[in-house]
Amino acid sequence: MVSERGLQVLRAIVQDYVETHEPVGSRSIVDRYAFGVSAATIRNDMALLEDEELITAPHTSSGRVPTDKGYRVFVDHLAQLRPLSVAQRTAIESFLTAPADLDDLMIRTVRVLTQLTGQVALAQYPSFARAHLTHLELVPLAPNRMLIVLVTDAGGVSQRVTPLPVDVDESDVALLRARLSSLITGQAVSDAAERLQNLIAVEDRPQDTALRTLAAVVIEELGEFRQERLVMAGAATLARREHDFRGSIHPLLEAIEEQVTLLRLMSEMVTDEHGLAASIGTENAPFGLGEASIVASNYAAPSGTARVGVMGPTRMDYPSNLAAARAVARYLSRMLDEDEAAR
């Protein structure tokens, strides 16, 4: 068990180490913080923290640095998040105002978050698995080429150009549109796909080849709606911060490229009562990311909740990064809610 003063000493060590990049000694803690006790007492507190494996001495330095376990205790005992400045809040609002569509909004979200934190920003797309289709449009680009547009009530939009096995005229397009719309409009994404699968199985007449082709393409696009997606920004910050990592950053770069690992990690992080989560250093080892920390905040979407956050070295400014993730998540929730209300 760590005493209250021990927690305060740990907090001082984490804050100073994040700020200075240098191991922290008892004398500097006495000089910088008003504990009202001697350096010898602080040294005793630090020895107890070391016994608990919350801090450690790098090499032969007389100072101490936090361990991953120490960062965890620090995050778990945060009294409050560091408030964002007026300039930071203004940046969030100006970045996220009037996006062209959901993709644009998500890209803006990670760009502003990496600008605020200097870390790699991550944002899960809202899940469209439970969304309902509100509109299907067929736009002929040529007699044998069609643009298919799908829209869901959760803001998901899909556009796909596909060739057709036969030429179609305007009357054919109207019939195809009516037939497909009657099957999927108002249906949940999974139900719509099932209805189209049944259509393909039943319709085998030669004159229905265009219908079957379009149905197959729509099924593929509905599959995309059901997949989890992640958008990121700021990968270049890893190279600039490489000295902050104890080992290689290559596993992080691979995770950014593949995304599947990050999606799993983001989904499995446990949030507190405020919707905030942190996964620190060795806690990420099962995902091959033991060198990194991720902090995230839930945001609300019409189809459920998703997460937005940042990834960086364990030596990161957790209070500021959590505050930035929470502020961006709240604004993102508001934007999606306003968009839903306007539909």
Side-chain angles (χ1 to χ4, degrees):
M1 294 294 292
V2 181
S3 67
E4 182 58 34
R5 192 178 65 222
L7 288 174
Q8 293 175 1
V9 171
L10 175 63
R11 185 177 296 115
I13 292 171
V14 171
Q15 290 173 345
D16 281 10
Y17 180 59
V18 168
E19 180 180 340
T20 66
H21 299 206
E22 297 293 336
V24 182
S26 58
R27 175 56 60 186
S28 67
I29 293 176
V30 170
D31 292 342
R32 285 170 57 88
Y33 299 91
F35 282 105
V37 296
S38 67
T41 300
I42 296 296
R43 280 196 296 274
N44 183 62
D45 290 330
M46 292 174 67
L48 294 174
L49 292 173
E50 195 163 7
D51 289 342
E52 294 290 334
E53 300 181 340
L54 302 179
I55 60 175
T56 188
H59 310 301
T60 57
S61 169
S62 60
R64 300 294 183 270
V65 300
T67 63
D68 290 355
K69 183 179 177 182
Y71 284 122
R72 166 51 62 192
V73 172
F74 169 74
V75 169
D76 288 346
H77 289 83
L78 280 175
Q80 60 184 13
L81 300 185
R82 192 169 300 162
L84 268 62
S85 66
V86 173
Q88 288 173 317
R89 294 187 178 278
T90 301
I92 294 173
E93 185 169 357
S94 62
F95 253 90
L96 301 187
T97 297
D101 52 28
L102 179 63
D103 289 333
D104 186 33
L105 177 60
M106 299 304 292
I107 290 171
R108 292 186 188 201
T109 295
V110 291
R111 284 179 178 171
V112 71
L113 192 51
T114 196
Q115 183 184 78
L116 291 173
T117 64
Q119 309 286 355
V120 178
L122 316 166
Q124 291 177 310
Y125 266 75
S127 172
F128 298 116
R130 295 185 299 276
H132 288 71
L133 289 154
T134 57
H135 187 67
L136 173 141
E137 185 57 64
L138 300 180
V139 181
L141 304 177
N144 62 350
R145 282 175 63 82
M146 191 78 71
L147 169 64
I148 305 172
V149 181
L150 299 171
V151 182
T152 75
D153 59 359
V157 179
S158 164
Q159 299 184 58
R160 171 93 169 261
V161 175
T162 183
L164 297 176
V166 294
D167 290 353
V168 295
D169 57 25
E170 289 185 10
S171 62
D172 294 326
V173 173
L175 290 172
L176 291 167
R177 184 188 299 114
R179 185 72 185 278
L180 293 172
S181 294
S182 68
L183 285 172
I184 68 175
T185 301
Q187 299 294 318
V189 167
S190 57
D191 293 338
E194 184 176 347
R195 283 176 163 231
L196 293 175
Q197 290 282 13
N198 293 336
L199 171 72
I200 292 174
V202 171
E203 295 291 351
D204 59 357
R205 296 174 299 178
Q207 60 267 38
D208 290 325
T209 54
L211 179 63
R212 291 197 302 274
T213 298
L214 292 172
V217 173
V218 172
I219 289 170
E220 290 180 7
E221 292 303 294
L222 294 177
E224 292 292 323
F225 278 139
R226 298 166 70 180
Q227 291 181 0
E228 289 191 59
R229 295 175 59 195
L230 190 70
V231 61
M232 291 174 281
T237 65
L238 291 178
R240 294 198 295 270
R241 294 178 176 273
E242 189 168 7
H243 63 281
D244 288 333
F245 293 89
R246 295 184 297 263
S248 172
I249 64 171
H250 290 299
L252 279 74
L253 296 174
E254 290 175 358
I256 288 173
E257 185 173 344
E258 295 178 3
Q259 295 195 7
V260 176
T261 297
L262 291 174
L263 276 167
R264 282 182 51 221
L265 201 164
M266 289 275 282
S267 298
E268 294 181 16
M269 290 170 68
V270 178
T271 56
D272 62 16
E273 66 272 21
H274 305 294
L276 298 172
S279 192
I280 299 169
T282 52
E283 296 170 358
N284 298 320
F287 300 90
L289 297 172
E291 295 290 327
S293 286
I294 295 179
V295 301
S297 176
N298 286 350
Y299 72 88
S303 56
T305 60
R307 289 176 180 165
V308 59
V310 299
M311 176 176 68
T314 54
R315 193 196 63 77
M316 68 161 59
D317 188 342
Y318 291 95
S320 292
N321 290 343
L322 281 165
R326 182 177 65 178
V328 170
R330 286 178 173 176
Y331 202 91
L332 182 56
S333 297
R334 196 175 90 194
M335 294 288 292
L336 292 171
D337 183 61
E338 291 174 354
D339 181 67
E340 174 71 8
R343 291 179 186 277

